[in-house]
Structure formats: C-alpha cells, structure tokens
Amino acid sequence: MKRPPLTPLADSLPASVPFVGPEALERVNGAVFKARLGANESVFGPSPKALAAMKAATSDIWKYGDPESHDLRHALAAHHGIAADNIMVGEGIDGLLGYLVRLYVAQGTDVVTSEGAYPTFNYHVAGFGGILHMVPYTEDHEDPDALLAKVHATQARLVYFANPDNPMGSWHPAAKVQRMIDAVPQDCLLILDEAYIELAPDGTAPALDTSNPNVIRMRTFSKGHGMAGGRVGYAIGEAETISAFNKIRNHFGMCRVSQAGALAALEDQAYLAEVRTKVAASRNRIADIARDNGLTPLPSATNFVAVDCGKDGEYARKVLTGLLDQGLFVRMPFVAPQNRTIRLSCGSEQDMDLLAAALPKAIASAS
C-alpha cells in the first residue's frame, strides 16, 4: 500500500521515546507498582494551595490558557528579581528544549553534551538533524572544562550542561558554573538545566545575569514543586533570546489549570521548604539502606540518589530487575561507567520501608 512519504530525516529516525514509563511496565506486568522510585517525581505532591487553585481552575477548563502565561511570567519575574521579558513559560523543560533546538539546530549543526546525560535533549537534536558530540563524565560529574574544549573543537552552536546533574545527582558550585558561562564562545549558547536547583545546597546556582546572550537557564515546577504531571517549565535568558521562542512555540501549549497551579505553588515558598526537608530526610534514608546492604550511595543535590552497586552495568541491571520484580519502579543510567549504579528517587516513609525490605532480596537474586 502506498502512503505519503516521511521526510528523509524523519524516516531515518527510530520510532522510540527516551524513557519507558512505569505505566507501560505496569501494563506488561499486569500489576501496579507498590512504589514509584524511578522517575524523580515528588511523591510529596504539590502545595495544598496549588491543588486548590488547580481545582478551582477546572471550572474554566473550557477556556484556552493564556498564550502569554502573563500572570505566571510576571510572578516568576518578581520572585527572581528580573524582568518578565527575560522569562518564557513552556510545557516543561522538555518542551522548551525542543523549541530551543528548533531555533538553533539545522541539518548538520554541531551540538555538545555529556555522554549519559539527560537523553531527551539528544532526542530533540537528532530530530532536527544535529550532530551530537559527547564528552564523558569525570568522577561521576559532568565536566565543564571538557564540554568547553569540545565546543571549541567542533564550533558547536549549543552545549547542554545540567547542574545538579541527572542521572548522577552530582553538582558543581556556583563559582565553577560561572566560569563556564564566562568562557562560552560568542557564537554558542549554553543551555544550563537547573531542574533540581530548588533541592540543591545554597551556593549551587550562580547569580542571574539576564544581559548575557550566551546562556539560557531552565527551571521547572516538576521537581521541588511536585507538579510533574502539570508540565510547567520556564526559561530565563536575555530578552532577545527569550523573544525568539515566540517565532515557533505552541502558543496554546500551556493548560490554564497548570498555569494556576504553578502560580499558587510559587507563592507557597513555606511548603517548598517543607519538601526540601522531606527530600533531605529521604536521601539520608536511601543512603542508610544502601550502606546496610553493602552498597555505596553517591552524594546528591537532587530528589534521588545514585547507588553504586559495586560491580558493572550487568550486575546493576540484575539488582534493578530484582527490585522491579518486587513491585518497585526504579531506573539506572544508560552509559558506562555510570551504569554501575541504580537511581532511587526519594519517597515517603512507606516507600523507604518497601525499599529496605526489597533491596536485600534484589541483591541476593543478582548474585
């Protein structure tokens, strides 16, 4: 049967997504997971004020969302002490990354990232025909110096760097990140992904400088604010860079319910502080459980902990499978040597009790 042909680029791409969702695994297994510890969601959920705002907004769901996200942008601007023209709201960081790549990447454009870093960025680059150049992690950290060296070697248009990092949870201090920002070539844009910044130690994020056209910073309501299903992210950057989004973005991409929830969440900083405390406690509990079982937890500035299983990726995969078989959804990095770890998201006390009971059995089954 004849059919309209795809573009040559689209036809060359795999019909796949970077992640297999827990729901897909539940359908295959015919059972719901007892604990979701694999997607770095916040089981602590959004602020009660955000939930109330979203519930109230459902009565107006017949209306499109404000295509300018005016109220949220201005609230974010006031929160950060910058102008609203320096902020673009979008459908999570994933959506904003897609727009950025569309703006800057054509067939054959060189792009730099870390091998094993957040794969959705790579997915977008491949989708627009860019050429990915990757550098390895150094001591389980993304390496700013190696990234910059690769940028100079390839004359890349974009370079992606996450601080704190996913999947390892590692981070660099603000001064080191600022040195990277200052060293980016004038014809390159640094995408600084700060999805986990609300959960990181003080001194992790450099001061905001919205006059610099060579860096754009990505933030989200998915992690600390507990609204992963709401799909609300935002970019902070120089005004002309931000304005370029309006050339190609989906102007009705933001749901009005999500806009209302994010606005209320931003206003409830006391709740965010409570979540930070709960996340820190859960990180400590994961670390204790790992050590009790002879594994090594890596330091984390996020809402997950990468746990070194002490051997190679094949062994870590067996440990992960043992946890999946007991009804715990977890993930692991894709690339060696980071794939010697499993990645465990923070959870409730009940989640941690399930992990404490399941991990010894998973290790036994892997041996």
Side-chain angles (χ1 to χ4, degrees), residues 16-164:
S16 61
V17 294
F19 303 106
V20 177
E23 294 83 2
L25 295 174
E26 288 172 340
R27 287 190 288 271
V28 170
N29 297 332
V32 175
F33 284 112
K34 299 173 184 176
R36 289 171 63 116
L37 302 176
N40 305 340
E41 302 151 324
S42 175
V43 303
F44 308 114
S47 156
K49 294 178 181 177
L51 290 172
M54 287 187 282
K55 183 176 181 180
T58 58
S59 63
D60 286 332
I61 199 65
W62 58 275
K63 301 176 185 176
Y64 289 111
D66 175 7
E68 298 178 10
S69 296
H70 177 277
D71 292 349
L72 181 55
R73 282 195 308 111
H74 281 261
L76 285 165
H79 177 72
H80 290 297
I82 59 179
D85 288 345
N86 297 117
I87 294 176
M88 178 56 64
V89 172
E91 306 93 312
I93 290 178
D94 290 353
L96 291 165
L97 287 174
Y99 294 139
L100 264 183
V101 171
R102 182 178 174 188
L103 284 168
Y104 289 95
V105 175
Q107 188 85 37
T109 300
D110 293 297
V111 177
V112 170
T113 186
S114 299
E115 187 175 14
Y118 191 51
T120 298
F121 176 68
N122 306 352
Y123 170 82
H124 288 306
V125 172
F128 285 96
I131 300 173
L132 279 163
H133 302 274
M134 300 186 184
V135 301
Y137 280 57
T138 299
E139 296 180 350
D140 295 325
H141 288 65
E142 290 197 63
D143 188 333
D145 294 334
L147 288 166
L148 284 172
K150 185 64 73 172
V151 167
H152 285 286
T154 62
Q155 298 184 323
R157 185 63 53 83
L158 297 177
V159 54
Y160 174 88
F161 170 61
N163 194 56

Side-chain angles (χ1 to χ4, degrees), residues 171-187:
W171 72 102
H172 293 284
K176 188 168 186 177
V177 179
Q178 186 61 52
R179 286 196 295 272
M180 183 182 186
I181 293 172
D182 294 340
V184 173
Q186 290 186 351
D187 57 353

